[in-house]
Amino acid sequence: MFKIKIPAAALLSVALMGCEPLTASAPVTTVAAATPVTTATAAPIKASNSIKVQNVDVTMLFDGVALQPPAGQHVFMYNNTTYVPLRFMSYALQKSVSWDAKNLKVTVAEPSSSEMVVIKEYLMNATSSPSFAAKNITLNNVNASYVFSGSTKALPKGQSSYLLNGSIYVPLRFLSESVGNSISWNSKTKTITANSKDYEENAASAKPTDKGTSPSASATPAPAATPAAEPGGAAGGSGSAGTGSGKVSYESITSETEAKLNALKSQSTSTLFGIALEYVNATDAATKQSIKAKGIEQLASFKASFNSIIADAEQKLNTNGYSTAIIAQYRAAFEAELDNGRVAAEGLGK
């Protein structure tokens, strides 16, 4: 599948996940986590480019909704700049994000309807997080460039991008302001607030009638137009997913499922490539073995996520009276990749 040469150790992620889409049919349409990989044109990250910092406990409000990065990801400050995980931040701002590994380029843009489905699903799981635990972390510098809605923007002087466990960390203010959101910091409450122009305009117009209270926030910031009513819930009108009688269409359920699966594929591939980078830079056999074990653990986590997505799809198909035959196709495609990857991964380094 790959036509460029990749260092043998970096094949860990390919060995673990394979290269094909997780879905049984549709091509990958969802753009997800941005993570650098080692290729023939991208030199391995050097230890001399690493920084050591401590994570910080902050509250982050996006259009009035409190969101937190997924477990295992952090917020930290370095040289008076707050850094956050790229995909988390982009999704919190309701933007799609993609990574060009060959050119080390991040592209942030307006999401398509299928991408918005994935973003909303992601944000539903970002409203809570495990209890904060202070942790010292070491991150590697990544020379990434950024494109926002077709315009290239450079990081401010003295700021950079960093990599940790397959996730890129970016300056929060740079990313937020580059997509047109205002941002503020309350040092007393340790609260970061990022508001879109639409949210601020709506809040301003609501002030005369709400007696000083702020508008209520939904579980996730609602986009201007959603692709469909949520399957399994009340019909929200005559959206493309509905049939006009409250029943969700088969195509809506399978499209939503495949968008989630493709997002999972992107996330898992990028995370495992990050682990592969650690493997490449490891200098002793024991460390390499530990990193490899971490990759296997991550794979198990992604399999659990896959099973959750499939179980949800099967329930929706049954609820709406459709055949669940496609579920077997999803599982077969995934298990085939899983088995091939596991065999290759177990033989890595032998």
Side-chain angles (χ1 to χ4, degrees), residues 51-115:
I51 62 169
K52 293 183 179 181
V53 295
Q54 186 176 69
N55 60 339
V56 293
D57 187 13
V58 298
T59 298
M60 289 183 286
L61 297 176
F62 298 88
D63 283 356
V65 179
L67 301 174
Q68 290 294 323
Q73 296 185 10
H74 310 281
V75 177
F76 68 89
M77 294 185 180
Y78 182 68
N79 288 343
N80 296 318
T81 298
T82 302
Y83 286 81
V84 292
L86 173 63
R87 187 163 79 99
F88 162 76
M89 185 64 185
S90 297
Y91 281 14
L93 297 171
Q94 297 196 55
K95 306 297 180 182
S96 68
V97 59
S98 63
W99 169 252
D100 179 348
K102 181 178 180 181
N103 298 303
L104 301 178
K105 182 174 70 175
V106 172
T107 301
V108 178
E110 293 300 321
S112 65
S113 58
S114 60
E115 289 168 345

Side-chain angles (χ1 to χ4, degrees), residues 161-179:
S161 308
Y162 297 96
L163 173 69
L164 175 67
N165 294 334
S167 295
I168 285 183
Y169 286 76
V170 297
L172 181 147
R173 181 176 294 277
F174 165 73
L175 191 61
S176 182
E177 293 182 345
S178 292
V179 300

Side-chain angles (χ1 to χ4, degrees), residues 118-284:
V118 177
I119 291 173
K120 290 177 66 179
E121 179 78 13
Y122 180 96
L123 294 178
M124 287 178 65
N125 297 318
T127 55
S128 62
S129 64
S131 299
F132 175 80
K135 184 178 181 181
N136 293 319
I137 54 179
T138 300
L139 304 98
N140 293 313
N141 179 279
V142 178
N143 269 334
S145 62
Y146 292 85
V147 177
F148 296 90
S149 299
S151 299
T152 300
K153 291 192 176 183
L155 285 166
K157 186 176 180 179
Q159 297 182 12
S160 187
S161 308
Y162 297 96
L163 173 69
L164 175 67
N165 294 334
S167 295
I168 285 183
Y169 286 76
V170 297
L172 181 147
R173 181 176 294 277
F174 165 73
L175 191 61
S176 182
E177 293 182 345
S178 292
V179 300
N181 284 42
S182 65
I183 189 165
S184 62
W185 163 252
N186 186 320
S187 59
K188 291 184 179 180
T189 61
K190 293 184 177 180
T191 300
I192 295 168
T193 303
N195 292 332
S196 64
K197 291 181 180 179
D198 287 344
Y199 178 81
E200 290 184 337
E201 290 174 358
N202 290 336
S205 63
K207 282 183 179 180
T209 58
D210 64 7
K211 297 182 180 180
T213 60
S214 59
S216 59
S218 58
T220 60
T226 54
E230 278 294 314
S238 57
S240 60
T243 62
S245 61
K247 184 176 180 179
V248 183
S249 72
Y250 177 85
E251 290 75 15
S252 173
I253 297 172
T254 54
S255 294
E256 179 187 34
T257 300
E258 290 172 2
K260 292 178 183 178
L261 291 175
N262 284 320
L264 176 63
K265 184 248 188 305
S266 297
Q267 179 188 7
S268 58
T269 300
S270 61
T271 297
L272 292 168
F273 263 122
I275 294 173
L277 283 176
E278 295 182 48
Y279 190 98
V280 169
N281 289 307
T283 57
D284 60 272

